[in-house]
Amino acid sequence: MPEVIIRPVDIDRDAEQLAAMWNASDKEWPNPMSWGVPMTAAQARAWVTESHPYLLVLVAEVDDKIAGYCTFMERPAGEGYVAVLNVAPGYQGRSIGRKLLQATIERSVQEGWQRQTLRTWSANFKAVRVYKKTGHFWAPDTSVRMENFIPGALQFPLAQPFFQRHDWYESYQPDMTHGMSDERWEGIPVFRQHWEADGEALTIWIDREARAPMAAETDAVQIAALVDNPEPLTGSTINLRWRVIN
């Protein structure tokens, strides 16, 4: 199978190929990009150079053709945001979307961000599957915001020994159910990240409201920060207790 090259866009080199990619992808989107009028190289150039101040604009190249495209930017909250992700129909099923997303996660780690987000639509079945496999959770009561805490996990001191021995993507064990990620642990709404490899396991529970880790467990230890009342009244006093289990 031809090699997939993930690289930054070179608009002088890529404009014509980008236009061809978008024209081939028009029917993949609920609102077509071109509205029936084929995109030109000039329009593709303007799309890249005159739009948002992206941190990253990536393309996936296969046999000298642009097969995929991804834009990544910083949100004011100090987190990453995948603004656009597209894989042309003739190149789907080759892990191109996954590789583009992995590149954005690597950049979030470089920036020191703990999380990143993206938005899609509920009937985007193929993409939601890719998003979940790369660590995204469908936030409940949204249409459809997906949150990814892999950057924070890769920087989490307790988790780093595991990731030094195992690839995070290959060992990740996501819930692939097509729908919202609605789970509770110790009475608190959470996103649960779980990895397994070579008989070793790692779990990190993300407090869904705080959007930050509340507990982590390795084969050696579990550490959790717990509250007696997970839904306190505004302004009330709550008790926080630490649980450490060898």
Side-chain angles (χ1 to χ4, degrees), residues 1 14 17 22-23 26 40 71 99 110 118 123 127 129 134-135 153 185 189 197 199 204 208 213 232-233:
M1 186 173 290
D14 297 332
Q17 286 288 341
W22 283 119
N23 289 330
D26 219 26
T40 65
T71 56
K99 291 176 180 178
Q110 292 173 12
L118 60 81
R129 184 172 180 82
T134 50
W185 186 76
I204 299 175
R208 213 161 67 205
L233 296 174

Side-chain angles (χ1 to χ4, degrees), residues 55 72-83 101-119 134-137 139 145-156 168 191 193 195 204-214:
L55 184 68
F72 188 60
M73 59 194 298
E74 180 180 6
R75 277 286 174 86
E79 62 186 32
Y81 179 69
V82 178
L101 289 168
Q102 284 181 297
T104 67
I105 290 169
E106 290 172 7
R107 184 56 183 265
S108 284
V109 172
Q110 292 173 12
E111 297 290 336
W113 298 334
Q114 300 298 301
R115 58 187 178 264
Q116 59 188 61
T117 62
L118 60 81
R119 286 189 175 273
T134 50
H136 292 79
F137 294 94
R145 187 179 78 247
M146 305 206 75
E147 304 200 26
N148 189 312
F149 299 89
I150 296 293
L154 295 174
Q155 299 171 73
F156 194 38
W168 77 261
F191 296 127
Q193 302 172 295
W195 295 265
I204 299 175
W205 289 269
I206 304 293
D207 183 317
R208 213 161 67 205
E209 297 298 324
R211 304 176 73 212
M214 62 167 286

Side-chain angles (χ1 to χ4, degrees), residues 19-229:
M21 180 205 70
W22 283 119
N23 289 330
S25 303
D26 219 26
K27 294 181 180 179
E28 299 287 301
W29 292 79
N31 295 319
M33 295 292 178
S34 68
W35 294 102
V37 180
M39 182 180 289
T40 65
Q43 290 170 323
R45 178 188 296 272
W47 177 289
V48 174
T49 59
E50 298 176 11
S51 53
H52 296 284
Y54 295 120
L55 184 68
L56 278 179
V57 179
L58 298 169
V59 295
E61 183 180 347
V62 179
D63 283 341
D64 298 322
K65 296 189 182 299
I66 301 301
Y69 176 84
C70 180
T71 56
F72 188 60
M73 59 194 298
E74 180 180 6
R75 277 286 174 86
E79 62 186 32
Y81 179 69
V82 178
V84 177
L85 178 69
N86 182 72
V87 178
Y91 297 93
Q92 294 174 7
R94 302 191 193 186
S95 298
I96 291 173
R98 183 258 293 180
K99 291 176 180 178
L100 288 166
L101 289 168
Q102 284 181 297
T104 67
I105 290 169
E106 290 172 7
R107 184 56 183 265
S108 284
V109 172
Q110 292 173 12
E111 297 290 336
W113 298 334
Q114 300 298 301
R115 58 187 178 264
Q116 59 188 61
T117 62
L118 60 81
R119 286 189 175 273
T120 185
W121 61 97
S122 59
N124 196 4
F125 295 101
K126 289 184 290 186
V128 168
R129 184 172 180 82
V130 174
Y131 296 147
K132 289 201 169 189
K133 288 183 72 174
T134 50
H136 292 79
F137 294 94
W138 182 338
D141 303 319
T142 68
S143 178
V144 174
R145 187 179 78 247
M146 305 206 75
E147 304 200 26
N148 189 312
F149 299 89
I150 296 293
L154 295 174
Q155 299 171 73
F156 194 38
L158 190 65
Q160 286 182 356
F162 181 93
F163 294 126
Q164 289 168 3
R165 293 186 288 269
H166 311 293
D167 178 84
W168 77 261
Y169 176 78
E170 296 297 332
S171 58
Y172 187 56
Q173 306 286 312
D175 176 4
M176 295 301 295
T177 305
H178 185 85
M180 298 177 185
S181 304
D182 194 4
E183 182 177 344
R184 284 179 177 260
W185 186 76
E186 299 287 348
I188 297 173
V190 296
F191 296 127
R192 183 174 62 91
Q193 302 172 295
H194 183 69
W195 295 265
E196 291 183 14
D198 299 332
E200 186 178 5
L202 167 68
T203 305
I204 299 175
W205 289 269
I206 304 293
D207 183 317
R208 213 161 67 205
E209 297 298 324
R211 304 176 73 212
M214 62 167 286
E217 181 176 285
T218 70
D219 291 343
V221 66
Q222 182 193 95
I223 301 176
L226 304 172
V227 292
D228 295 330
N229 181 2

